[in-house]
Amino acid sequence: MKILFINASLTDGGSERAMTLVANQMAAMGHDVTMLLIRDKERTYKVSPLVEVIQLKYPSKNKLSILPRRLYAIRRLVKEKGPDCIISFMCDVNVMTLAATMGLKTRKVVSERAFPNSGERSRFGTLLEHLFYRSADAIVFQAPGAMDCFPANLRRKGVVIPNIVQEPSFEPYVGERTKRVVTAGRLTAQKNYPMLIKAFARFSEGHPDYNLEVFGDGDQRVELEALTRELGVVDRVIFEGYVSNVSERINDASIFAMSSNYEGISNAMAEAMALGLPTVCTDCPVGGAAMMIEDGTNGVLVPVGDDVALAKAMARIADDDAFAKSISRKARDVVNQFSAGKIGLMWEDAIRGNQQ
């Protein structure tokens, strides 16, 4: 089949990462795959040489002039390529894609990410989604909780497909772990890094030899650095910024911690588990963490916003070596549960319409 993927860019975002893995897998399964990027930004994800990548460029940065150009370019490319199926990622790109392809007979699959009821979407944006999603043939959700955010007429189009979890490209660490708590992601309100820093400050009272390393950048960095000074842990919280080799940098850490208020399925969490890092995560909506973590078996789940519970979970891992090794060993099974082959077949069913 000929498949056209559409997304904003290949920059360091979760949806971009997820789309790249799915597109690469579809190409590996023998499909003719093209990827259209509608925003001209730096690329940080590697795409298979089997995937054709088309980058839109614009003579002007004026948003009012860019939108019609994008709509025209999407429609023109669909007509030129004649794909059997279009797959778009992210709510704004989904709406643009469905608007641009109105009246065309090509099968349309939109992928809804994160938490639709997070409050970040305007009422007008939500109205546009519910209106245009009616013309989609299928809506892919990462977890059942995301599907529950939509009205019944759209839930009937829904299918749950988790993210692909890749086998690490290097050998996961098995020796004595360095005394580091690590995390990765954009420094935004969604990730609730203040909770993590407060939890680390509590944890460090009994574990003064541990550091917290934060991989990622964002608009909250100055605020978070100020919080580390206020809590007296400025010397033990290290903001590493964006790095391209996070997995290699965290491979021998003692704990991976994620404090999000909401999340679809965190790629960073999944990759940490694939490495066998003892992982603690908030049991946040839309339930992606709970899909991967069985509390106390292959990781630890804590309530959203509860820095006391997060500190206790980190202490449990740090103080109980047998427990840490047990959840580390079992965490690695996410590679088998959510392999590219298994998830690829689920996407293939959605593309063909076999999930209905």
Side-chain angles (χ1 to χ4, degrees), residues 132-248:
F132 280 98
Y133 280 17
R134 295 175 187 175
S135 64
D137 294 289
I139 306 171
V140 172
F141 300 93
Q142 292 178 286
M147 189 187 301
D148 292 341
C149 297
F150 284 80
N153 65 318
L154 298 181
R155 291 200 301 271
R156 286 192 288 269
K157 297 173 180 282
V159 55
V160 174
I161 304 180
N163 288 359
I164 291 172
V165 181
Q166 281 188 310
E167 179 75 38
S169 59
F170 52 89
E171 195 66 28
Y173 189 77
V174 294
E176 184 176 350
R177 294 187 172 274
T178 56
K179 294 186 176 182
R180 296 185 297 149
V181 178
V182 295
T183 191
R186 291 175 177 170
L187 308 186
T188 61
Q190 173 195 344
K191 305 295 185 180
N192 198 355
Y193 284 112
M195 171 194 167
L196 176 56
I197 293 171
K198 290 175 184 177
F200 178 75
R202 290 179 180 276
F203 166 79
S204 64
E205 291 175 4
H207 304 83
D209 47 351
Y210 278 76
N211 286 337
L212 169 63
E213 295 181 5
V214 180
F215 292 86
D217 226 327
D219 55 17
Q220 286 200 327
R221 179 160 180 163
V222 173
E223 173 188 332
L224 296 173
E225 289 175 337
L227 181 60
T228 65
R229 291 191 292 272
E230 177 186 332
L231 296 177
V233 290
V234 64
D235 294 333
R236 282 179 286 139
V237 178
I238 304 163
F239 292 91
E240 300 283 2
Y242 173 78
V243 300
S244 60
N245 62 336
V246 173
S247 293
E248 291 92 333

